[in-house]
Amino acid sequence: MIRRRTALSVSAVALLAAAPALTACGSTAHPGAAAVVGKDRITVAQLQARVAEVREAQRSSPQGQQAAANSARLGQDTLVRLIQYRIVEKAGKDNDITVSRRELQEQRAQVERSNGGAEEVRDRFLALGIAPDQIERALTVELVRSKLDARFGTERTNQLLMRTSDALNVDVNPRYGTWDSKRGTAQPAKEPWLRAAAPVAERPA
């Protein structure tokens, strides 16, 4: 089932990395943190370092100028993505979902074959604001999500992720906004993180 979805992996990660604009309110209980997800702090310094990695990669990329032009909200987008990663990873851990190194290598190889090679995949992720050394984590999260979908179905997985988000009590620095667990972002985004379930007629018997 994972292989059947491989050709869509880059676009699926794009959905996971949907670019939101953030609201203007939030908690002030965690100075120095861009967000707190459960017991995990994402510091402002960590977020700024991640953004700097992307900017550096964009400068060295042939398509870097265009990628930079499309990433005006790179800091906010990156923070939302990091929060989403932690929620999916926690849901996977709670349900004994694992991704082996071999599965990850196979997934990356298949994505590269399906999308024009390693450089093309690198550029596509970079356009999403994902630096080259973060591609494997993005693919790992997508594999976890795919396995959750395979086990529970899309609708139940969406509910599971919302419950996990609520349980982690995501708290975003007012500088970046407030968290909406129903949409998996900090304000209505162009594409929500939760997937639309396939109509019943389209589901395999």
Side-chain angles (χ1 to χ4, degrees):
M1 183 168 292
I2 292 172
R3 292 190 178 185
R4 179 172 60 82
R5 297 169 57 89
T6 296
L8 301 177
S9 291
V10 171
S11 60
V13 172
L15 184 149
L16 191 67
L22 303 182
T23 60
C25 57
S27 171
T28 58
H30 306 287
V36 178
V37 185
K39 296 181 179 180
D40 187 9
R41 287 168 55 90
I42 303 172
T43 69
V44 173
Q46 290 170 333
L47 177 61
Q48 291 174 340
R50 185 64 54 81
V51 170
E53 290 175 7
V54 175
R55 295 294 191 199
E56 180 63 29
Q58 288 176 341
R59 283 193 290 270
S60 63
S61 170
Q63 288 78 32
Q65 190 172 18
Q66 179 180 354
N70 293 333
S71 59
R73 295 194 301 268
L74 182 58
Q76 292 94 333
D77 298 347
T78 300
L79 179 60
V80 169
R81 184 180 304 114
L82 292 174
I83 294 170
Q84 290 173 343
Y85 282 0
R86 284 160 172 78
I87 293 169
V88 175
E89 289 166 346
K90 181 65 164 60
K93 182 178 180 181
D94 288 347
N95 289 278
D96 298 319
I97 299 291
T98 61
V99 174
S100 70
R101 184 64 185 171
R102 180 176 179 179
E103 285 177 310
L104 176 58
Q105 290 173 338
E106 290 177 349
Q107 178 80 343
R108 182 158 190 171
Q110 291 170 25
V111 168
E112 290 174 355
R113 285 195 299 269
S114 301
N115 293 276
E119 287 303 311
E120 180 66 21
V121 169
R122 178 185 182 276
D123 289 340
R124 290 192 185 195
F125 275 100
L126 193 57
L128 296 172
I130 300 174
D133 65 353
Q134 294 299 315
I135 291 175
E136 288 196 351
R137 186 179 184 189
L139 290 175
T140 299
V141 170
E142 173 58 20
L143 278 168
V144 171
R145 175 63 200 255
S146 296
K147 289 186 175 187
L148 288 168
D149 281 347
R151 180 181 297 182
F152 300 115
T154 303
E155 292 183 22
R156 288 183 61 195
T157 298
N158 286 343
Q159 295 168 3
L160 172 63
L161 291 175
M162 285 190 286
R163 290 197 301 271
T164 302
S165 177
D166 288 338
L168 287 172
N169 193 28
V170 178
D171 185 14
V172 176
N173 187 307
R175 175 179 175 183
Y176 300 100
T178 56
W179 186 252
D180 181 352
S181 64
K182 292 182 179 179
R183 294 187 60 85
T185 187
Q187 184 178 323
K190 293 180 180 179
E191 295 181 87
W193 72 324
L194 300 178
R195 297 171 178 165
V200 174
E202 295 180 11
R203 293 178 180 170

